Amino acid sequence: MDKTIKEQILKVRDTALCNMFDLGMVKAIAAELDCPELVTFIDINTDDYVHFILHGDE
């Protein structure tokens, strides 16, 4: 996972608007925050996204 994706995940998390496991809402917020890379990443690499949320690493 590259630095951009990590930054975008943290940007969405910092809004505190949703549970980070609610992937549909995370993607909607990411789209609103102009984070299209994160939306695509979640669609393609869901397991890696969840792993990062749970463990904070790659």
Side-chain angles (χ1 to χ4, degrees), residues 27-47:
K27 290 183 346 182
I29 293 169
E32 286 182 27
L33 295 175
D34 194 31
C35 300
E37 297 89 355
L38 179 56
V39 174
T40 302
F41 182 82
I42 291 172
D43 285 339
I44 297 170
N45 302 294
T46 305
D47 291 343

Side-chain angles (χ1 to χ4, degrees), residues 8 11-13 15-20 22-35 38-39:
Q8 290 181 4
K11 186 175 181 179
V12 172
R13 183 200 64 189
T15 69
L17 293 173
C18 71
N19 180 315
M20 293 301 288
D22 182 347
L23 301 182
M25 190 58 131
V26 170
K27 290 183 346 182
I29 293 169
E32 286 182 27
L33 295 175
D34 194 31
C35 300
L38 179 56
V39 174

